Structure formats: C-alpha cells, structure tokens
Amino acid sequence: MKDSYDVVVVGAGPAGSIAARTAAQKGLDVLLIEKRQEIGDPVRCGEGVKKMSIRRHIEPDYRWICADVKGSRIFSPNGTKVEMSESISGGEVGYVLERKVFDRALAYEAAMAGAEINVKTRATGLVIEDGFVRGVNLMHLGDEYKIRSKIVIGADGVESKVGRWAGIDTSIHLSDIETCAQFLVIGENIDQDYCHFYLGNKIAPAGYIWVFPKGKNQANVGIGILGSKSGKYRAVTLLSDFLKEHMPDAKIIEMVVGGVPVKGTIEKTIANGLMLVGDAARQSDPITGGGIINSMDAGKIAGEVAAKAISAGDVSINALNDYEKRWRATIGREIDNSLMVKNTFVKFTDEDLNSLAYSLKDVNFTSMSLMDLLYALFKANKKLLWDLRYLFKDVVKNEIDFSYRS
Amino acid sequence: MVVIHINRYKCGYCGACVGVCPSGALELIETWIEVDKNCTGCGICAKVCPVGAIEVKK
Ligand SMILES: Cc1cc2nc3c(=O)[nH]c(=O)nc-3n(C[C@H](O)[C@H](O)[C@H](O)COP(=O)(O)OP(=O)(O)OC[C@H]3O[C@@H](n4cnc5c(N)ncnc54)[C@H](O)[C@@H]3O)c2cc1C
Ligand code: SF4
Ligand code: SF4
C-alpha cells in the first residue's frame, strides 16, 4: 500500500470492483479496499440477474453461473399462478449466480486492469480538508494508516458509513428497507427452470418469498419483509415456517441474512472528492430488491467520471455532478418507477393480490419484463392500480418499451 | 451510554442494523457489530434485525 492514489474505492462488492476496474482501465492509480478477509463471503444476496444486463459488464462464465432460468412464476396468497416465460427468443431470461465466485471474478478484473487490492482493510474515516474529501483512514491487520487520494468512491454496501462521514445522511427508515433471510437448500423436487415468487401478507408482510434454482437439486429460498413490519415476526422465522409447509424435506446448507434498501433515489450521492455507488447510494430496486446490476452500472459511471474529473484537475461537487446526472437518468428513472409500484403494492390486502393475479389468468407473457406484467395488470385493474397511471402515460401514447437500459 | 445488547451468537453480520441507525452509532467490523456512545436506545435497529439479535436494555 502506498501513501497516495488517484482513487480509493471502499468496498469490493460489484459496485466497488466495477468502479475500480473502470478507473484503472482509464489509467488511474487505484486502490480497492475490502474489510472482509474474503471477497464475496458471506453472501447477502438471492443471486438472480437478467442475462442481458450482466453482459454489459462481463462475459458470462459458467464458473459463477449456477442456473439458467427460463421464466418466473408468481403465486398470489390463494395460490393463483401468473407465469412469465421467454418462449420466443430462446431462454434469454436470467441467471442465478454464485456470488462468492462472481464477486471474486469482478475483483480479479479490477486487479488485471491495474488496481491494487487490499483485503482485511477497513475504512475507519475520511480525510477531509477545506471541505474536500482527500483520502481515507484505514485499519489493516490492526494497524492504522492514512491514505490520500484525489477521489474516494464509497461502495461500502447497505452498512455504508462513507456517505455519513462526508455529511450525507444515508440512514434508511424502517419502511424503506426489506429485512431478509435466505437458506440455500437441497431438495428432491426443486424446479430448476423457473424462479418462483410467493406473495401474501401472512407469509411475507409487504414483501415476498423467492425460490431461485441453483442447479443440482439446490435453490436459494429467501424472504424479504418490510422493516416496519418486522419485530413480532422475524424474517428468519417466517422463512422457516414457509419451508416447513412447502419444502419439509429440504436440507439447509447455508443461511444468509441481510437488508435491501427499497427507498427510492436519495437526494445526494456526491460531495467534493466523493461519490457513492451501489447499495451505499441506496440504488437497489424498490420492487424487486435487485441491486447487482444497478451497482455495477453505477460503478462504471463513477469510474468514468473519476477519470474525467481527475484529468481535468477538478474533483469538486460540480465536476462530479456528471455522475449524479448520468445515474439518475438511467438507474434512477427505473428506481423511481419501481418506488411508485412498491408504494402501491405494500398497501394491498391478500384479497387484492388474489384478484390481481386472477385478472391475469388468461394473459400469456412472452417476455419477462416486470413492466410488461405491470402494464397488463394496470389495463385489467385500472381502479386498484390508478396510482400507477403515471408509469404508463408514455405507454398509452406510443407503446414505449421499458427496456431503455438493456 | 450503550443501551443495546447484541447477541453475537445470533447475529449474522449482515449490516442491516447499521443502515437504519439514525445516529450512526453502529458499525459492522467483520463478523461483529460495535455500538458507540451515540446510541440513543431508539430501538430501530432491534426492529429491523432479520434474526432478532438486538435487545434494547431497559
Ligand atoms: C437477502 C438478499 C437477497 C438479494 N437478492 C438479490 C437478487 O436476487 N438480485 C440482485 O440483483 N440483488 C439482490 N440483492 C441485492 C444485492 O445483493 C446488492 O444490491 C448488491 O450486493 C450491492 O452491491 P454493492 O457492491 O453495492 O454492495 P455489497 O455487495 O454489499 O458490497 C459492499 C462491500 O463493502 C465492504 N465494506 C463495507 N464497509 C467497508 C469499510 N468500511 N471498509 C472496507 N470495506 C467495506 C463490505 O464488506 C462489502 O464487501 C439481495 C440482497 C439481499 C440482502
Ligand atoms: S441486523 Fe441483526 S444480524 Fe444483521 S448485523 Fe445487525 S444484529 Fe447482526
Ligand atoms: S438503538 Fe437506535 S441509536 Fe442505538 S444503535 Fe439502535 S438504531 Fe442506533
């Protein structure tokens, strides 16, 4: 470790590794630090991603792909099934990843691009001078270090402190976080072709249960419930109840817990000399809870903006505003749309959910886009979903498709 | 004064509690949570914990 770098990236999840790789590819001198001793472990993820989105960043590699899924099935509280499968384009749907291997593959890419990486190295504070972030304080193997840098990128996940240290309040309200638990299970009859989702206020209050195939008779079975509904019932107990009822013979070989921000876009993700990316910037999707792709997209933008700002010799908040603008125009737009959907859905009773599912029973989905599903729902249930009309105002005009980012 | 107790035999070191603490009083080190003097005992972290590892001391 040197005393100074162009960029220090805090956190080697998908956001941090892509930011470090991008900045290093642009010729910057980059340090990527990770407080854990093993990158990618423990996992805090259901590991589902869209195929075409992952390809934006890395060539798919079967070392970190566990399952190739053909579609999704959603079950309403009374068991009414809505099925979405990709029948036309031949399996262009989703992967279930092995994040432990995937996160390391991304760190490998950052290293190969020239970034220096240090594990078991925790940021403990920022170096702030004249209103500018000018480096980080670190602890590595019990010793403290002060490292200077022109830019710090905070990619430190849901537990992010980097933003707070710079005066950006990233604390999440209980109604803006899904509290989650997940078991990796082995079982005889696990469908390896479809992702399954179970809705219902009894089984998962203001959230859902997912079953994502992981190959070889395995699946990630997880639950997310809204933080404000947690307390009397815990995510982990509700998940155990589900397993007892639906998969009584499943054997649990791993347990995962975690929180996913479902807050919508936050006010500010930059300061002089600082950018926040990924879960640290609360960029996960409020309806699906997916954050892998968003954090990689944000990491890439931040790496590019860092290179531009440093070569222009201006790392002020004005120069970094380019990051803010670019992520809000893409990821941010989707997050805000999803927030609208989340705010509508958390109010639904089980009866509402059943009647919504029932209204789709004759609809045949050929694409897995969530927006397609929502639009079909909206058309069939205008009264119940009237709050979502803003989402579709453009659709009605010109049948716009929502895949502007893929 | 620290008014919460974290059962480290239960905690899955996920960091959800750190994300919701309005006072920034928590930190996830590697496999454990540390609480500092800024804790007000509001109990928000105890609600969010997916396994119920946090208890607010009366
Ligand atoms: C149960 C669960 C299921 C999920 N399922 C899905 C899913 O199916 N699909 C999907 O797309 N998303 C899913 N998500 C969300 C997804 O996991 C996150 O959005 C994603 O990991 C965010 O990436 P990140 O790089 O921003 O943060 P992280 O992956 O959390 O990485 C942050 C890193 O920073 C490190 N760090 C933190 N503080 C410091 C510090 N002070 N110093 C040094 N290092 C530090 C951490 O140790 C960590 O390695 C799920 C989340 C949970 C909890
Ligand atoms: S939320 Fe609970 S399990 Fe997660 S780190 Fe905090 S105390 Fe541990
Ligand atoms: S009780 Fe409140 S102030 Fe104390 S650590 Fe928990 S959330 Fe933070």
Side-chain angles (χ1 to χ4, degrees), chain B residues 3-4 17 20-26 35-36 38-46 54 56:
Chain B
V3 292
I4 60 164
C17 53
V20 298
C21 174
S23 316
L26 297 175
V35 197
D36 72 21
N38 294 317
C39 172
T40 61
C42 69
I44 291 175
C45 57
I54 307 180
V56 184

Side-chain angles (χ1 to χ4, degrees), chain A residues 137-212:
Chain A
N137 296 314
L138 305 179
M139 182 176 276
H140 171 64
L141 289 173
D143 291 325
E144 294 184 58
Y145 299 85
K146 178 173 170 176
I147 311 284
R148 305 187 68 86
S149 68
K150 294 173 184 142
I151 288 178
V152 172
I153 297 179
D156 49 339
V158 69
E159 76 265 40
S160 178
K161 303 282 267 192
V162 171
R164 299 194 199 213
W165 291 330
I168 304 171
D169 181 9
T170 54
S171 68
I172 316 168
H173 290 277
L174 283 173
S175 53
D176 292 328
I177 187 167
E178 289 280 325
T179 162
C180 307
Q182 177 179 276
F183 298 135
L184 172 59
V185 304
I186 303 177
E188 286 295 309
N189 300 313
I190 295 170
D191 186 329
Q192 292 296 330
D193 290 330
Y194 280 80
C195 285
H196 291 189
F197 298 89
Y198 297 83
L199 306 179
N201 288 299
K202 275 195 207 75
I203 60 163
Y208 62 83
I209 284 175
W210 64 87
V211 181
F212 291 175

Side-chain angles (χ1 to χ4, degrees), chain A residues 364-378:
Chain A
N364 180 19
F365 291 98
T366 47
S367 106
M368 218 183 50
S369 149
L370 186 62
M371 278 301 163
D372 297 338
L373 170 75
L374 288 169
Y375 188 48
L377 272 177
F378 179 70

Side-chain angles (χ1 to χ4, degrees), chain A residues 62-74:
Chain A
Y62 279 86
R63 282 179 304 176
W64 42 258
I65 296 170
C66 294
D68 201 326
V69 294
K70 296 192 174 60
S72 301
R73 297 192 184 109
I74 304 174

Side-chain angles (χ1 to χ4, degrees), chain A residues 175-293:
Chain A
S175 53
D176 292 328
I177 187 167
E178 289 280 325
T179 162
C180 307
Q182 177 179 276
F183 298 135
L184 172 59
V185 304
I186 303 177
E188 286 295 309
N189 300 313
I190 295 170
D191 186 329
Q192 292 296 330
D193 290 330
Y194 280 80
C195 285
H196 291 189
F197 298 89
Y198 297 83
L199 306 179
N201 288 299
K202 275 195 207 75
I203 60 163
Y208 62 83
I209 284 175
W210 64 87
V211 181
F212 291 175
K214 266 199 93 168
K216 299 190 183 121
N217 295 321
Q218 299 175 95
N220 282 335
V221 184
I223 186 172
I225 65 174
L226 208 59
S228 49
K229 308 268 181 187
S230 165
K232 192 167 162 217
Y233 304 104
R234 299 281 167 186
V236 73
T237 20
L238 289 166
L239 183 62
S240 299
D241 292 347
F242 176 86
L243 220 60
K244 258 182 235 138
E245 175 149 354
H246 288 81
M247 310 167 93
D249 300 325
K251 299 183 177 78
I252 300 169
I253 57 167
E254 186 177 289
M255 174 174 156
V256 165
V257 283
V260 187
V262 290
K263 191 181 165 81
T265 51
I266 63 174
E267 212 174 293
K268 196 172 148 203
T269 59
I270 52 172
N272 291 321
L274 177 89
M275 290 179 269
L276 298 177
V277 293
D279 275 10
R282 312 318 188 196
Q283 283 161 335
S284 41
D285 187 279
I287 189 86
T288 62
I292 302 172
I293 300 296

Side-chain angles (χ1 to χ4, degrees), chain A residues 316-328:
Chain A
S316 70
I317 198 163
N318 290 332
L320 302 184
N321 198 38
D322 197 24
Y323 166 67
E324 194 90 88
K325 275 206 282 217
R326 285 177 60 193
W327 83 258
R328 285 183 198 279

